[in-house]
């Protein structure tokens, strides 16, 4: 059962429902999954209205770590852009040719290449300190999909992309933020599920992630992005794991996004 909405607390620690597993270079499926996986799903959502002065998200569930799966691709791109800014340049044509399918089509080969280029977990974590993330730990070695994050940290990343800085200059330049937004605004049709279910057809930008754990057969299913409801903009992150099937995870994420956003919008 889902917890009621509340203000985001300090992150909690606790036993994780999934064990460590090897993420294949394809990024999605493990091998030899059990034939009859038992659903042990959990879910956390964080919602931040952009049209107002609120600084912290409203949290639905416990703010504990989850595997990112492919939502980490937004963070990988933000890191690549920040590193390019530091070098005084824009992304090269080759880098753009990797970034665009990585976000729009969730291309794993492109993510593999950019993950190596940014310096894997150490490069990601160095960038995240500047982007305001505090609870995200990069995956081991080549396993970017096993990066661990929290829903509130994903809101921090989304703010770095979608929110207008009100005091100090943003880590990402306006050009970099616009580029990430443009890709998240134009994901392929087969990627258009998740937090977008809670908003209108227009004004949506998102990135989804899904991963079957090879030791349990259970699925991580996540979705993050910006949505618009009745003309008001919201940043939304929904993270889940322990789902018996990917379809169950998608349904859980979309149902949770609708409930969480509706509750916040009614406040």
């Amino acid at each position: 059962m889902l917890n009621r909405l509340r203000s985001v607390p300090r992150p909690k620690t606790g036993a994780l429902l999934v064990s460590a597993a090897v993420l294949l270079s394809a990024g999605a499926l493990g091998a030899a999954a059990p034939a009859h996986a038992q659903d042990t799903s959990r879910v956390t959502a964080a919602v931040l209205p952009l049209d107002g002065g609120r600084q912290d998200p409203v949290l639905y569930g416990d703010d504990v770590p989850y595997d990112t799966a492919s939502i980490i691709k937004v963070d990988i791109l933000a890191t690549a852009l920040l590193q390019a800014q530091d070098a005084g340049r824009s992304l090269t044509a080759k880098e753009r040719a990797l970034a665009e399918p990585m976000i729009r089509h969730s291309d794993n080969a492109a993510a593999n290449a950019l993950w190596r280029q940014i310096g894997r977990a150490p490069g990601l974590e160095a960038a995240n300190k500047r982007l305001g993330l505090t609870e995200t730990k990069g995956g081991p070695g080549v396993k970017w999909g096993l990066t661990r994050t929290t829903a509130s940290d994903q809101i921090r990343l989304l703010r770095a992309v979608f929110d207008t800085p009100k005091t100090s200059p943003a880590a990402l330049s306006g050009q970099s933020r616009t580029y990430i937004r443009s890709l998240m605004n134009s994901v392929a049709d087969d990627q258009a599920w998740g937090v977008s279910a809670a908003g209108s057809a227009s004004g949506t930008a998102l990135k989804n992630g899904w991963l079957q754990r090879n030791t349990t057969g259970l699925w991580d299913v996540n979705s993050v992005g910006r949505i618009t409801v009745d003309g008001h903009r919201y940043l939304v992150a929904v993270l889940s794991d322990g789902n018996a099937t990917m379809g169950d995870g998608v349904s859980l994420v979309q149902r949770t996004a609708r409930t969480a956003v509706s509750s916040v919008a009614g406040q």
Side-chain angles (χ1 to χ4, degrees):
M1 182 177 294
L2 297 175
N3 298 332
R4 65 181 178 85
L5 283 163
R6 56 188 172 80
S7 295
V8 60
R10 292 178 63 86
K12 299 179 181 180
T13 59
L16 301 177
L17 295 179
V18 293
S19 60
V22 175
L23 180 66
L24 300 183
S25 61
L29 300 177
H36 300 287
Q38 182 178 0
D39 186 294
T40 56
S41 59
R42 62 174 186 167
V43 65
T44 302
V47 180
L48 180 69
L50 277 179
D51 303 324
R54 189 180 184 100
Q55 296 299 305
D56 295 320
V58 178
L59 191 73
Y60 204 57
D62 293 329
D63 200 26
V64 294
Y66 291 81
D67 301 328
T68 58
S70 285
I71 61 169
I72 192 59
K73 292 168 182 173
V74 176
D75 205 357
I76 292 173
L77 177 54
T79 300
L81 286 162
L82 193 56
Q83 291 177 350
Q85 287 176 201
D86 292 344
R89 63 175 181 84
S90 301
L91 292 186
T92 65
K94 180 179 179 180
E95 289 166 339
R96 292 171 70 93
L98 293 170
E100 293 172 14
M102 180 178 72
I103 301 298
R104 288 177 171 154
H105 298 278
S106 206
D107 185 272
N108 292 318
N112 291 341
L114 285 175
W115 178 249
R116 291 191 299 269
Q117 178 177 309
I118 66 171
R120 299 180 178 177
L124 183 89
E125 291 169 8
N128 282 346
K129 289 181 181 179
R130 298 164 62 185
L131 295 169
L133 281 69
T134 60
E135 302 296 330
T136 299
K137 181 174 177 56
V142 299
K143 302 164 192 170
W144 43 263
L146 294 185
T147 297
R148 302 284 284 173
T149 194
T150 62
S152 59
D153 230 22
Q154 286 303 297
I155 294 294
R156 295 183 183 102
L157 177 60
L158 292 171
R159 289 192 69 178
V161 175
F162 291 99
D163 202 4
T164 301
K166 298 175 178 61
T167 53
S168 58
L172 290 168
S173 68
Q175 182 179 18
S176 292
R177 296 197 306 274
T178 296
Y179 182 61
I180 300 175
R181 293 173 189 174
S182 70
L183 299 185
M184 294 178 70
N185 277 331
S186 57
V187 297
D189 289 345
D190 65 343
Q191 306 284 315
W193 51 267
V195 298
S196 56
S200 62
S202 61
T204 296
L206 77 158
K207 182 70 192 79
N208 300 321
W210 59 97
L211 167 66
Q212 188 180 27
R213 302 306 302 264
N214 68 346
T215 54
T216 64
L218 299 173
W219 288 79
D220 302 329
V221 181
N222 306 319
S223 183
V224 300
R226 183 202 61 200
I227 65 170
T228 303
V229 180
D230 296 329
H232 298 288
R233 300 170 302 149
Y234 299 86
L235 300 180
V236 187
V238 184
L239 310 180
S240 78
D241 62 17
N243 300 286
T245 69
M246 180 178 170
D248 288 345
V250 171
S251 295
L252 176 61
V253 165
Q254 295 189 157
R255 183 169 67 250
T256 302
R258 291 189 191 102
T259 301
V261 172
S262 177
S263 298
V264 172
Q267 293 181 358

